[in-house]
Amino acid sequence: MTFLILPALDVWRGRLAVATAEGPRSIEAFGGDPVVAARAAVVAGARALHLVDLDLAYEGTRGLDVAAIRAVAPDATLQVSGAIGDAEIGRAFLDAGADRYVLGSSALADDRRTLLALRDAGAAVVMGLEVEDGRIRARGAGGNEAGGLDLMSTVGWLNAAGAPAFLVTSIDRVGGLAGPDVDLVRRVARAGRPTYAAGGIRSLEDLRHLRDVGVAGAVVGTAALEGRFDVARAFAWAEA
């Protein structure tokens, strides 16, 4: 089974950054240039990229230049995230050249908003599940709206509504190198939809554990940007 590895490129005011408790912080990897980072990922073998619009997540205004990334990654699947709260914002990213977008957890507090996104984008929308202590607690703009939703009951109704895929983010592991919450992602994957993991992934062994429990792919951020493991080797393994 092919396992999809999506290098994460978080972009803040046109530069690479990471999200912290205090807000976005610029980083110097690849000279801070998301286009250079995207090109390097594709050269290494990436078939997909996870692009995070931190301007949207923190300030509510789209700032990500999807077209610039598309220009250096013409054949890659571009997945856009960043607290996307409704179908209109998601559609704008699709129209700009993204292949799919992650509907942020804040939207899940409003069934109508979620169903509209599913109806509009179909297979081009991934349901974002940001989880802490077993409950959905959205981050970024509008984060308080979905604070405390029960994870598995939410997965149940989304599955019944036809959600095409899930992205499960372990909030307490984002930006760190503690390893993924394998048990959490496995629970969601049992719903039978393609499920992707994010948060804490640091090694090829972590990716193996995720694939072994039925996960379809993973977003890799800090470890890849900091060169902590051989991404080219990971891409080769994922295709085997």
Side-chain angles (χ1 to χ4, degrees):
M1 178 179 72
T2 299
F3 185 90
L4 188 64
I5 301 172
L6 300 97
L9 302 178
D10 292 26
V11 182
W12 166 250
R13 296 176 179 170
R15 308 294 292 172
L16 288 174
V18 293
T20 73
E22 293 74 37
R25 173 176 58 82
S26 297
I27 59 175
E28 295 307 314
F30 299 99
D33 190 335
V35 173
V36 174
R39 183 186 293 113
V42 170
V43 169
R47 295 192 298 110
L49 299 172
H50 180 75
L51 310 175
V52 184
D53 189 335
L54 293 179
D55 297 84
L56 178 63
Y58 283 90
E59 296 184 339
T61 302
R62 288 194 302 122
L64 179 67
D65 187 348
V66 177
I69 303 298
R70 175 58 74 196
V72 298
D75 300 318
T77 296
L78 300 186
Q79 174 175 288
V80 177
S81 182
I84 297 172
D86 56 47
E88 182 179 358
I89 297 173
R91 173 55 56 185
F93 281 119
L94 297 179
D95 290 344
D99 295 287
R100 62 194 191 200
Y101 71 89
V102 179
L103 186 68
S105 292
S106 63
L108 300 180
D110 185 330
D111 293 1
R112 182 175 175 275
R113 269 198 293 171
T114 301
L115 293 171
L116 283 173
L118 286 170
R119 186 177 67 188
D120 175 74
V125 62
V126 176
M127 309 311 298
L129 305 173
E130 297 171 292
V131 183
E132 184 177 45
D133 298 327
R135 300 185 71 81
I136 297 170
R137 305 184 190 280
R139 301 172 296 159
N144 291 332
E145 297 176 32
L149 289 179
D150 180 75
L151 173 62
M152 295 315 297
S153 63
T154 302
V155 169
W157 86 257
L158 289 172
N159 196 29
F166 297 110
L167 173 63
V168 183
T169 301
S170 303
I171 291 176
D172 61 347
R173 305 193 187 207
V174 171
L177 296 169
D181 190 334
V182 176
D183 289 338
L184 167 66
V185 187
R186 173 170 47 198
R187 290 170 62 205
V188 177
R190 284 174 178 164
R193 304 287 184 179
T195 299
Y196 301 89
I201 297 166
R202 66 207 162 170
S203 67
L204 182 54
E205 191 64 22
D206 287 339
L207 300 178
R208 286 195 180 102
H209 287 158
L210 290 166
R211 186 168 72 172
D212 287 347
V213 300
V215 176
V219 173
V220 181
T222 301
L225 283 174
E226 294 181 353
R228 291 176 179 266
F229 76 99
D230 187 340
V231 290
R233 181 182 171 215
F235 293 137
W237 163 82
E239 298 293 335

